[in-house]
Amino acid sequence: MKLVKKEMLTRLNKYIADSGITSRRKSEEYILQGRVTVNNKVVKELAYKVNSEQDSVMLDGEKITPRKHIYFLLNKPAGVITSTDDEKKRRTVVDLIKVNEKIFPVGRLDYNTTGVLLLTNDGEFSNLLTHPRNKVPKEYEVKLDKPLSNEDIEKLLKGIFIERRKGVFVKISLLSPNKKVARITTFEGRNHFVKKMFGALGYYVTGLNRKSFAGFTADVPLSSYRKLSKTEIEGVFKNYAK
Ligand code: URA
């Protein structure tokens, strides 16, 4: 009898999602609908474990081949765009990571914003971290053109309307005696959100650094990156996949 290593065994829904066709949740629906076969037999058991080296898995009669997912944490420098390519041929965050597979950024940071940014080729991972429903925390250090007043701190914590939708910071602390540097926390991911919130009250953001994203901190030097650990990746699915 051939021995099967534990790491070769994958839950059927994860195996399907890893192919990039759909999410784990949708995969479960397909399994329950009897659309999935393993070695030509319909399997409706969600906890079924597939041997990724030997088993042949099909969805609606089409063979499924999982891709290997990769995940990076980058400490983004200023002067780089958060995109996979740029028509003006400016440097992108993807250019900073030496890898052959196609990867994309999870959410975005502005051209001159620095700090923690995740990149992956796993669409489901990215969706979990960018969907507003998941309220993923983001912390920024913000430099302002003038001192932040207590009155405006209160307004930002209560919420103000930007583009007809209320935006809110859940925490604000002042980091400098001149009150021009603050650390803010938000769950929002709208484009230019921090600048627009301050802009709405007449402040201009002169510097922006993302200190943390979903609990990940910029723990590598500026412009450097590292791979996420298995525990970190599983943590994201555990925390955000419902
Ligand atoms: N909010 C902004 O205004 N810019 C960023 O880069 C990130 C959040």
Side-chain angles (χ1 to χ4, degrees):
M1 196 177 70
K2 206 168 167 199
L3 275 180
V4 177
K5 279 203 226 139
K6 209 167 153 226
E7 56 268 29
M8 289 178 189
L9 295 176
T10 314
R11 269 179 75 105
L12 187 52
N13 67 328
K14 180 174 185 302
Y15 186 93
I16 299 169
D18 283 352
S19 70
I21 301 177
T22 188
S23 65
R24 286 190 206 187
R25 202 202 301 208
K26 269 265 171 244
S27 306
E28 289 188 352
E29 280 176 31
Y30 296 159
I31 294 166
L32 294 174
Q33 287 163 0
R35 293 166 61 181
V36 176
T37 58
V38 180
N39 304 328
N40 296 321
K41 283 204 195 92
V42 171
V43 173
K44 288 190 176 177
E45 215 183 299
L46 294 178
Y48 190 91
K49 293 252 171 74
V50 178
N51 179 341
S52 50
E53 303 246 312
Q54 293 172 3
D55 291 337
S56 163
V57 179
M58 293 194 187
L59 170 65
D60 297 334
E62 296 272 339
K63 187 152 173 29
I64 287 176
T65 330
R67 282 180 304 169
K68 189 159 170 33
H69 283 143
I70 44 178
Y71 309 84
F72 296 98
L73 180 155
L74 168 74
N75 189 353
K76 179 191 174 295
V80 178
I81 65 160
T82 305
S83 176
T84 49
D85 51 43
D86 182 39
E87 55 196 29
K88 293 190 208 149
K89 298 279 169 257
R90 287 171 302 181
R91 221 155 46 119
T92 74
V93 287
V94 168
D95 295 333
L96 298 177
I97 296 187
K98 304 282 165 264
V99 66
N100 287 330
E101 274 98 333
K102 274 194 169 38
I103 53 170
F104 55 85
V106 176
R108 74 187 297 277
L109 289 178
D110 293 339
Y111 185 68
N112 276 329
T113 300
T114 54
V116 57
L117 180 72
L118 302 183
L119 296 103
T120 183
N121 60 354
D122 183 348
E124 189 182 12
F125 179 87
S126 175
N127 289 341
L128 289 175
L129 290 176
T130 48
H131 200 292
R133 175 191 63 216
N134 281 339
K135 294 194 175 348
V136 171
K138 294 132 194 131
E139 270 184 290
Y140 294 89
E141 189 175 298
V142 192
K143 292 196 175 118
L144 299 166
D145 62 335
K146 58 182 183 184
L148 181 58
S149 71
N150 289 341
E151 198 190 340
D152 287 337
I153 291 180
E154 272 178 36
K155 283 186 193 162
L156 292 162
L157 290 172
K158 247 175 99 186
I160 53 177
F161 279 83
I162 53 167
E163 282 148 7
R164 295 191 298 282
R165 239 177 60 219
K166 198 170 179 181
V168 66
F169 292 158
V170 291
K171 197 170 164 201
I172 303 177
S173 34
L174 287 170
L175 300 183
S176 68
N178 69 5
K179 300 188 175 181
K180 287 187 184 179
V181 185
R183 168 87 70 122
I184 70 99
T185 307
T186 182
F187 296 125
E188 279 253 13
R190 278 188 268 172
N191 283 351
H192 316 301
F193 181 71
V194 176
K195 290 177 188 163
K196 283 181 179 162
M197 287 285 282
F198 281 107
L201 297 179
Y203 296 84
Y204 180 72
V205 172
T206 59
L208 195 55
N209 175 250
R210 184 152 72 184
K211 292 289 179 186
S212 78
F213 175 72
F216 291 98
T217 57
D219 51 12
V220 288
L222 206 62
S223 303
S224 303
Y225 62 90
R226 68 170 176 87
K227 281 189 175 168
L228 297 193
S229 70
K230 198 161 177 263
T231 315
E232 287 174 322
I233 299 158
E234 284 170 359
V236 168
F237 284 100
K238 214 155 82 209
N239 285 339
Y240 297 110
K242 293 287 166 332

Coordinates of all heavy atoms in Angstrom, one line a residue, residues 10 16 31 37 45 48 59 68 84 87 98 101-103 120 140 146 151 163 165-167 169 177 197 208 210 224 240:
T10 N -6.1 17.5 0.7 CA -6.8 18.8 0.8 C -8.3 18.6 0.8 O -8.8 17.8 0.1 CB -6.4 19.6 -0.5 OG1 -5.0 19.4 -0.8 CG2 -6.8 21.1 -0.4
I16 N -11.0 22.8 -5.1 CA -11.7 23.5 -6.2 C -11.3 25.0 -6.2 O -11.0 25.5 -7.2 CB -13.2 23.2 -6.1 CG1 -13.5 21.7 -6.2 CG2 -13.9 23.9 -7.3 CD1 -14.9 21.4 -5.9
I31 N -20.5 21.1 -4.6 CA -20.3 19.8 -4.1 C -21.7 19.2 -3.7 O -22.1 18.1 -4.1 CB -19.3 19.8 -2.9 CG1 -17.9 20.1 -3.4 CG2 -19.3 18.4 -2.2 CD1 -16.9 20.5 -2.3
T37 N -17.1 15.4 -9.1 CA -16.7 14.0 -9.0 C -15.2 13.9 -8.7 O -14.4 14.7 -9.0 CB -16.9 13.2 -10.4 OG1 -16.1 13.9 -11.4 CG2 -18.3 13.2 -10.8
E45 N -19.8 15.0 0.0 CA -19.3 15.2 1.4 C -18.4 16.4 1.4 O -17.3 16.3 0.8 CB -18.5 13.9 1.7 CG -18.6 13.4 3.1 CD -17.7 12.2 3.2 OE1 -17.9 11.2 2.4 OE2 -16.7 12.3 3.9
Y48 N -14.7 15.8 2.6 CA -13.9 14.8 1.8 C -12.6 15.4 1.5 O -12.4 16.5 1.1 CB -14.7 14.5 0.5 CG -14.1 13.3 -0.3 CD1 -14.5 12.0 0.0 CD2 -13.0 13.5 -1.2 CE1 -14.0 11.0 -0.7 CE2 -12.5 12.5 -1.9 CZ -13.0 11.2 -1.6 OH -12.4 10.1 -2.3
L59 N -15.4 19.2 -12.2 CA -16.6 20.0 -12.0 C -17.4 20.0 -13.3 O -16.8 20.5 -14.3 CB -16.2 21.4 -11.5 CG -17.4 22.4 -11.4 CD1 -18.4 22.0 -10.3 CD2 -16.9 23.8 -11.1
K68 N -0.8 26.8 -7.7 CA -0.1 27.1 -6.4 C -0.3 28.6 -6.1 O 0.0 29.4 -7.0 CB 1.4 26.7 -6.6 CG 2.1 26.8 -5.2 CD 3.3 26.0 -5.3 CE 4.1 26.2 -4.0 NZ 3.4 26.5 -2.8
T84 N -0.8 46.4 -11.7 CA 0.1 45.3 -12.3 C 0.8 45.8 -13.5 O 1.9 45.3 -13.9 CB -0.8 44.1 -12.7 OG1 -1.9 44.6 -13.5 CG2 -1.3 43.3 -11.5
E87 N 0.3 52.4 -18.1 CA 0.4 52.8 -19.5 C 1.5 53.9 -19.7 O 2.1 54.0 -20.7 CB -0.9 53.3 -20.1 CG -1.5 54.4 -19.2 CD -3.0 54.6 -19.5 OE1 -3.7 53.7 -19.9 OE2 -3.5 55.8 -19.3
K98 N 10.4 39.8 -7.2 CA 11.0 39.0 -8.2 C 10.3 37.6 -8.1 O 10.7 36.7 -7.3 CB 12.5 38.8 -7.9 CG 13.2 40.2 -7.8 CD 13.5 40.7 -9.2 CE 13.9 42.2 -9.1 NZ 12.9 43.2 -9.4
E101 N 5.4 34.0 -11.4 CA 4.0 34.0 -11.5 C 3.4 35.4 -11.5 O 4.0 36.3 -11.0 CB 3.4 33.3 -10.2 CG 3.3 31.8 -10.3 CD 4.5 31.2 -9.6 OE1 5.6 31.8 -9.5 OE2 4.3 30.0 -9.2
K102 N 2.2 35.5 -12.1 CA 1.5 36.8 -12.2 C 0.8 37.0 -10.8 O 0.1 36.2 -10.3 CB 0.4 36.7 -13.2 CG 0.8 37.0 -14.6 CD -0.5 37.3 -15.5 CE -0.3 37.8 -16.8 NZ 0.8 37.5 -17.6
I103 N 1.2 38.1 -10.2 CA 0.5 38.5 -8.9 C -0.1 39.9 -9.0 O 0.2 40.6 -10.0 CB 1.6 38.5 -7.7 CG1 2.8 39.3 -8.1 CG2 2.0 37.0 -7.4 CD1 3.7 39.5 -6.9
T120 N -0.6 38.9 -4.1 CA -0.9 37.5 -4.2 C -1.4 37.1 -5.6 O -1.6 38.0 -6.5 CB -2.0 37.1 -3.2 OG1 -2.2 35.7 -3.3 CG2 -3.3 37.7 -3.5
Y140 N -3.0 54.0 9.7 CA -2.1 54.9 8.9 C -1.5 55.9 9.8 O -2.1 56.4 10.8 CB -2.9 55.7 7.9 CG -3.5 54.8 6.8 CD1 -4.8 54.2 6.9 CD2 -2.8 54.6 5.6 CE1 -5.3 53.5 5.9 CE2 -3.3 53.8 4.6 CZ -4.6 53.2 4.8 OH -5.1 52.5 3.8
K146 N -1.4 71.3 8.8 CA -1.7 72.2 10.0 C -2.1 71.3 11.2 O -2.5 70.1 11.0 CB -2.7 73.2 9.6 CG -4.0 72.7 9.1 CD -4.9 73.8 8.7 CE -6.3 73.1 8.4 NZ -7.2 74.1 7.8
E151 N -11.8 69.5 17.9 CA -13.1 69.5 17.3 C -13.2 68.6 16.1 O -14.1 67.9 15.9 CB -13.4 71.0 17.0 CG -14.8 71.3 16.7 CD -14.9 72.8 16.1 OE1 -13.9 73.5 16.2 OE2 -16.0 73.0 15.5
E163 N -18.3 62.0 -0.7 CA -19.0 61.4 -1.8 C -20.3 60.8 -1.4 O -20.6 59.6 -1.8 CB -18.1 60.4 -2.6 CG -17.1 61.2 -3.4 CD -15.8 60.4 -3.5 OE1 -15.7 59.3 -3.1 OE2 -14.8 61.0 -4.1
R165 N -21.4 59.4 1.1 CA -21.4 58.2 2.0 C -20.6 58.5 3.2 O -19.5 59.1 3.1 CB -20.8 57.0 1.3 CG -21.9 55.9 1.3 CD -21.4 54.6 0.5 NE -20.2 54.0 1.1 CZ -19.2 53.5 0.4 NH1 -19.3 53.5 -0.9 NH2 -18.2 52.9 1.0
K166 N -21.2 58.1 4.4 CA -20.5 58.5 5.6 C -19.2 57.7 5.7 O -19.1 56.5 5.4 CB -21.4 58.1 6.8 CG -21.0 58.8 8.1 CD -22.1 58.6 9.1 CE -21.8 59.2 10.4 NZ -22.8 59.0 11.4
G167 N -18.1 58.4 6.1 CA -16.9 57.7 6.4 C -16.5 58.0 7.8 O -16.8 59.0 8.4
F169 N -13.3 57.4 11.1 CA -12.1 56.8 11.6 C -12.5 56.2 13.0 O -13.2 56.9 13.7 CB -11.0 57.8 11.9 CG -10.5 58.4 10.6 CD1 -9.9 59.7 10.6 CD2 -10.5 57.7 9.4 CE1 -9.3 60.2 9.4 CE2 -10.0 58.3 8.2 CZ -9.4 59.5 8.2
P177 N 3.8 66.9 19.3 CA 3.3 68.0 20.1 C 2.7 69.1 19.2 O 1.8 69.8 19.6 CB 4.6 68.5 20.8 CG 5.6 67.4 20.7 CD 5.3 66.6 19.5
M197 N -11.0 62.2 3.7 CA -11.6 62.5 5.0 C -11.0 63.8 5.6 O -11.7 64.7 6.0 CB -11.3 61.4 6.0 CG -12.1 60.1 5.7 SD -13.8 60.3 6.3 CE -13.7 60.0 8.0
L208 N 1.8 59.9 4.0 CA 0.9 58.9 4.5 C 1.7 57.5 4.5 O 2.3 57.2 3.5 CB -0.3 58.8 3.5 CG -1.5 58.0 3.9 CD1 -2.1 58.5 5.3 CD2 -2.6 58.1 2.9
R210 N 1.1 53.5 5.7 CA 0.2 52.4 6.3 C 1.0 51.6 7.2 O 2.0 50.9 6.8 CB -0.4 51.6 5.2 CG -1.4 50.6 5.8 CD -2.6 50.3 4.9 NE -2.2 49.4 3.9 CZ -3.0 49.0 2.9 NH1 -4.2 49.4 2.9 NH2 -2.5 48.2 2.0
S224 N 11.4 46.4 0.5 CA 11.7 44.9 0.7 C 10.4 44.2 0.8 O 9.3 44.8 1.1 CB 12.6 44.6 1.9 OG 13.7 45.3 1.8
Y240 N -11.7 35.8 8.3 CA -12.6 36.5 7.4 C -13.5 35.7 6.5 O -14.5 36.2 6.0 CB -11.8 37.5 6.5 CG -11.1 38.5 7.3 CD1 -9.7 38.5 7.4 CD2 -11.8 39.5 8.0 CE1 -9.0 39.5 8.2 CE2 -11.1 40.4 8.7 CZ -9.8 40.4 8.9 OH -9.1 41.4 9.6

